[in-house]
Amino acid sequence: MNSALRPVLVVCVAVGVSLLIGWIVDRSLRRIDGRHPETPLWHLLRRCGIPLQVVICTAILRGGYRSAHFADDHASAIGQGLVLVLIGASGWLVVRVATAVIDSSYARYAAVGHDVPKIRRLRTQLTLIQRVFTAIVTVIVVASMLFTFPAMRTVGASMLASAGIIGIVAGVAAQSTLSNLFAGLQIAFGDMVRIGDTVVVDGEWGTVEEITLTFLSVRTWDERRIMMPVSYFTSKPFENWSRGDQRMTGTVFLHLDHSAPVALMRKRLLEILESCAEWDRRAWGLVVIDSTPTTLQVRALATAKDAGDIFNLRCIIREQLIDWLHCEHPYALPRLSTAPAPGQDVDHTRDTAPAPDAKDLGPGPGTR
């Protein structure tokens, strides 16, 4: 066989075999997925087709490139490059397989589970486990690539010999990073905050959107993202409205005139709640909780199933009660009173008598 055709033949065989094996594996996974649609693992494993083909093709080329007698002067460099590609592709394949297994486990649990907090906790834990596993595989892959170079083996032995000193120096230099790393693991397995939880941090209300080993992303109600180090959630207090039972009680405070019809307001509140889908019908009420020389402070109370519904319900109660008072009982709205109180008649005759006419006065002293 012509020596010029050998490299082409080896490359064609490697590519053809890798494509054939990839096609066979994909067809097999598709068939198994059709028989077991309740298990998403087989569908997710189909994402591993490309890294699997790269691994197979690189392995075939690594084993047969010498027989092709292609660039004999650079055979060692080609072999070294193929080894590096094989190591990288193998790590890529391992990460893809692990991701498919983790996503399949979460999908199966979420499909049959009804406890939302437990589902969020599992999602948070699996996400962080996946990130830790990916980081470990990446470190192993990079280390394996470096140790394929003879010069790096000596460096590696020296590094291992001085690992104690390097560890102390790195620990001091990366104290903040390490604290965030351990805080991320504590959050994952301590179940203090999970992806999808509604939290209040630094006075900002939002939903936990992403948790990594170093930072946590909170999406606020106005679609801003607050990026915070995970160590914040292990060292400072914060509100988690999704912890345990998500049902909440909301209050609306109104400042009204002393003449406000509280009994009629209580009846109107019930009518408003019965027309709202957000009210879960657990509790409601309207009471006067305080008074000042000019106003009454009235508190309306209602319950809802979660934080989103309670916010909407409070807005509806506040808007409709004020509108009802404005239309039906405008005198109940707060105002600055300058007129006399109702029922009080001011009689100035009691205090001041009318002045007598001059003709009624007798002659004064000194008149003649």
Side-chain angles (χ1 to χ4, degrees), residues 233-254:
F233 293 87
T234 58
S235 59
K236 296 182 180 180
F238 65 95
E239 296 183 29
N240 189 341
W241 291 6
S242 302
R243 179 75 175 180
D245 194 351
Q246 299 187 50
R247 297 182 298 179
M248 299 193 68
T249 299
T251 55
V252 175
F253 297 95
L254 300 175

Side-chain angles (χ1 to χ4, degrees), residues 116-338:
V116 177
K118 289 185 178 180
I119 294 175
R120 290 177 176 174
R121 178 177 60 187
L122 178 64
R123 180 184 177 187
T124 303
Q125 293 176 351
L126 291 179
T127 300
L128 292 180
I129 290 174
Q130 177 182 344
R131 294 180 184 275
V132 171
F133 182 80
T134 302
I136 293 174
V137 171
T138 302
V139 172
I140 294 176
V141 167
V142 173
S144 301
M145 288 181 175
L146 292 177
F147 274 94
T148 58
F149 298 94
M152 293 302 298
R153 296 174 185 174
T154 305
V155 175
S158 301
M159 291 176 61
L160 290 176
S162 59
I165 299 176
I166 293 177
I168 295 174
V169 174
V172 174
Q175 183 177 2
S176 177
T177 303
L178 292 175
S179 64
N180 284 328
L181 176 63
F182 289 114
L185 296 175
Q186 184 177 352
I187 286 177
F189 297 98
D191 195 28
M192 63 178 65
V193 62
R194 299 153 299 198
I195 295 176
D197 281 2
T198 301
V199 297
V200 179
V201 290
D202 282 345
E204 295 284 352
W205 180 90
T207 304
V208 178
E209 189 175 48
E210 183 181 6
I211 299 177
T212 69
L213 291 176
T214 56
F215 70 89
L216 187 146
S217 173
V218 177
R219 180 179 180 179
T220 61
W221 64 273
D222 54 355
E223 298 185 355
R224 291 180 292 117
R225 268 73 174 180
I226 301 177
M227 314 302 293
M228 309 189 70
V230 292
S231 58
Y232 174 91
F233 293 87
T234 58
S235 59
K236 296 182 180 180
F238 65 95
E239 296 183 29
N240 189 341
W241 291 6
S242 302
R243 179 75 175 180
D245 194 351
Q246 299 187 50
R247 297 182 298 179
M248 299 193 68
T249 299
T251 55
V252 175
F253 297 95
L254 300 175
H255 292 271
L256 305 175
D257 189 78
H258 287 148
S259 60
V262 178
L264 294 179
M265 288 182 62
R266 192 175 292 114
K267 181 179 179 181
R268 177 57 184 165
L269 174 62
L270 181 58
E271 294 175 356
I272 295 172
L273 292 176
E274 288 178 343
S275 63
C276 292
E278 290 83 358
W279 184 44
D280 62 1
R281 288 174 167 73
R282 286 191 297 117
W284 72 281
L286 188 144
V287 294
V288 177
I289 62 171
D290 197 6
S291 64
T292 67
T294 56
T295 61
L296 291 177
Q297 188 175 14
V298 178
R299 185 196 68 185
L301 179 144
T303 58
K305 63 180 177 62
D306 55 31
D309 281 357
I310 200 62
F311 178 80
N312 295 333
L313 185 60
R314 291 172 61 195
C315 294
I316 293 172
I317 292 173
R318 185 182 298 108
E319 178 182 346
Q320 295 196 17
L321 274 181
I322 293 178
D323 182 68
W324 176 76
L325 289 172
H326 183 268
C327 295
E328 301 293 335
H329 305 277
Y331 60 88
L333 297 176
R335 63 187 183 277
L336 181 62
S337 178
T338 58

